[in-house]
């Protein structure tokens, strides 16, 4: 099992320093999405006092080497603080600060889908859109091999691993437990976790979150996952199909409702929304992974609890459909629906914006 070198450093020695008082200073870790639209970056600055609101956090800048736009030249960007969380790694009063990135002309930088999402969400505020996202991921050793898999063969076939318990079924639960607690500490609206179909594959759910907060919460939950995995010396992959063949891929099912869908007789509005979504299938596929559908093409095969990428389908309690109406929602005739198409590496800002504007 190849775990990273730094994970093997003596953590008890580190703890001695982490226990030192920090005076009246506060550490704020600024976090942002890079131009790939998938990668997260971070850096820390010291503040003189604990910020009480997001407005108290200074705008920061950063220079990026952007190969796409400038052929390798460094360009200055602005980091604009958008949401603040308690820091579960350095603990109170330290903060995690999620930022959006603007270019020096104040336009959204490449990979910044938050700006547009926020615009749409503020326009539809009165509909009170709620989202819940199910983030699937795969734990890898640092050599890219799935965590806990035998080095020269495969684990037994899928079946016993979903929601499994026991050393032969649950690969890497320490990470899941640490991430869950760290999210609760931070104030992330994490609402559950489970082991997935493929060994070393897991899921956590965040929600329900209203409007723009869905994207903010999921991105911070992803950051916390990467950071926890760093401590354990393993890597969390959001690749939608990490292992080809007869192994489940990883998605980010997105559950959605508006106020009228949640009220009595709301099923009618759910069905109307699904009807509108059926007319924009290809548009949604383009938005649901960072490569315009190429990543999801490996996953949405029509097998392994997925629909076919080329076809739109919907049904009650149907896990092979693009859109599923949960069984209980069909019975109560109100609630929400689930879009099963987004890939694990989707941008939640882009997905929630598309869902909102299409339905
Ligand atoms: P599944 O049965 O598909 O595995 P999960 O239990 O993993 O479902 O996830 C359900 C998700 O639905 C959670 O993220 C939850 O927050 C979200 N959710 C529940 N109710 C609503 C609602 N009314 N509107 C939007 N999302 C909701
Ligand atoms: Mn789920
Ligand atoms: Mn799942
Ligand atoms: Mn689901």
């Amino acid at each position: 099992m190849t775990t990273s070198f730094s994970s093997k450093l003596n953590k008890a020695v580190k703890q001695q320093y982490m226990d030192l008082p920090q005076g009246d200073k506060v550490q704020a870790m600024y976090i942002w999405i890079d131009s790939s639209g998938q990668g997260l970056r971070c850096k820390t600055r010291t503040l003189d006092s604990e910020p009480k609101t997001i407005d108290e956090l200074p705008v920061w800048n950063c220079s990026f080497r952007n190969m796409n736009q400038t052929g390798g030249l460094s360009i200055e960007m602005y980091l604009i603080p958008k949401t603040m969380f308690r820091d579960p790694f350095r603990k109170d009063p330290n903060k995690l600060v999620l930022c959006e990135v603007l270019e020096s002309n104040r336009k959204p930088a490449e990979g910044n889908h938050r700006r547009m999402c926020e615009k749409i969400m503020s326009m539809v505020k009165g509909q009170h859109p709620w989202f819940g996202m199910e983030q699937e991921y795969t734990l890898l050793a640092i050599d890219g091999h799935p965590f806990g898999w035998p080095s020269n063969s495969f684990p037994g076939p899928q079946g016993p691993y979903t929601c499994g318990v026991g050393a032969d079924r649950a690969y890497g639960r320490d990470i899941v437990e640490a991430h869950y607690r760290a999210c609760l500490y931070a104030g992330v609206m994490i609402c559950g976790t489970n082991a997935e179909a493929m060994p070393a594959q897991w899921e956590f759910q965040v929600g329900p979150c209203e409007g723009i907060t869905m994207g903010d919460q999921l991105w911070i939950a992803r950051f916390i996952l990467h950071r926890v995995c760093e401590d354990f010396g393993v890597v969390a992959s959001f690749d939608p199909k990490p292992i080809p063949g007869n192994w489940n891929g990883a998605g980010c099912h997105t559950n959605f409702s508006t106020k009228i869908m949640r009220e009595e007789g709301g099923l009618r509005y759910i069905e109307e929304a699904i009807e509108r979504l059926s007319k924009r299938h290809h548009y949604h596929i383009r938005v649901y992974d960072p490569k315009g559908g190429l990543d999801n093409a490996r996953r949405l095969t029509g097998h392994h609890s997925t629909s076919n990428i080329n076809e739109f389908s919907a049904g009650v309690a149907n896990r092979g459909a693009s859109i599923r109406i949960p069984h209980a929602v069909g019975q109560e005739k109100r609630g929400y629906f689930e879009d099963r198409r987004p890939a694990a590496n989707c941008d939640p800002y882009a997905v929630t914006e598309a869902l909102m504007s299409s339905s």
Side-chain angles (χ1 to χ4, degrees), residues 42-332:
C42 56
K43 60 175 185 168
T44 300
R45 65 188 293 165
T46 304
L47 305 175
D48 289 333
S49 63
E50 183 179 354
K52 299 294 177 209
T53 66
I54 194 74
D55 309 313
E56 293 174 27
L57 285 149
V59 169
W60 204 0
N61 60 352
C62 193
S63 44
F64 294 87
R65 202 166 277 274
N66 188 329
M67 305 307 275
N68 298 348
Q69 289 176 354
T70 59
L73 286 178
S74 282
I75 39 175
E76 282 277 297
M77 302 268 192
Y78 293 103
L79 302 175
I80 316 290
K82 286 292 167 182
T83 357
M84 179 167 75
F85 296 83
R86 293 169 73 198
D87 183 340
F89 305 101
R90 295 166 170 150
K91 302 192 187 147
D92 290 336
N94 304 301
K95 306 292 179 201
L96 301 180
V97 180
L98 184 66
C99 301
E100 75 165 349
V101 187
L102 299 185
E103 291 181 0
S104 47
N105 60 12
R106 300 267 161 182
K107 292 220 170 73
E110 193 180 349
N112 175 358
H113 296 123
R114 190 183 190 282
R115 199 28 99 78
M116 187 51 82
C117 181
E118 191 174 32
K119 192 174 155 200
I120 301 290
M121 294 302 172
S122 65
M123 282 163 59
V124 298
K125 228 173 160 171
Q127 298 184 39
H128 296 282
W130 288 6
F131 302 91
M133 297 181 83
E134 305 167 45
Q135 177 69 64
E136 294 179 339
Y137 61 95
T138 309
L139 296 176
L140 306 176
I142 51 160
D143 59 5
H145 195 68
F147 180 76
W149 285 34
S151 45
N152 292 311
S153 60
F154 290 94
Q158 292 188 168
Y161 307 109
T162 306
C163 302
V165 59
D168 55 343
R169 290 161 187 229
Y171 293 27
R173 192 189 300 278
D174 283 353
I175 288 152
V176 179
E177 293 297 330
H179 172 255
Y180 201 156
R181 197 62 71 84
C183 281
L184 290 176
Y185 182 95
V188 173
M189 290 167 73
I190 185 167
C191 59
T193 67
N194 59 268
E196 272 302 326
M198 184 180 95
Q201 199 179 68
W202 296 85
E203 171 179 312
F204 64 85
Q205 301 99 28
V206 177
C209 298
E210 191 161 331
I212 191 72
T213 62
M214 181 70 252
D216 291 343
Q217 296 261 331
L218 190 65
W219 275 114
I220 278 290
R222 286 176 175 177
F223 176 84
I224 293 173
L225 180 63
H226 288 309
R227 180 64 189 74
V228 165
C229 283
E230 184 185 314
D231 280 347
F232 284 100
V234 302
V235 172
S237 167
F238 295 122
D239 189 303
K241 190 80 176 183
I243 311 296
N246 221 3
W247 301 99
N248 269 43
C252 194
H253 298 168
T254 303
N255 301 273
F256 173 59
S257 64
T258 56
K259 188 161 180 281
I260 50 171
M261 295 178 192
R262 296 187 291 270
E263 287 169 355
E264 192 163 354
L267 185 60
R268 200 185 114 205
Y269 301 105
I270 291 176
E271 284 165 348
E272 285 176 13
I274 293 173
E275 175 61 23
R276 284 191 287 273
L277 283 169
S278 73
K279 304 204 164 78
R280 305 188 64 177
H281 177 66
H282 298 288
Y283 167 73
H284 282 257
I285 290 295
R286 278 201 298 282
V287 171
Y288 284 1
D289 74 51
K291 299 225 179 78
L294 282 177
D295 274 340
N296 236 340
R298 292 181 284 126
R299 162 181 169 257
L300 295 177
T301 56
H303 305 288
H304 304 110
S305 303
T306 68
S307 56
N308 185 297
I309 194 167
N310 298 311
E311 291 156 23
F312 181 89
S313 56
V316 176
N318 181 357
R319 289 179 187 262
S322 318
I323 306 279
R324 164 177 153 257
I325 297 174
H327 183 69
V329 174
Q331 280 192 324
E332 288 166 29

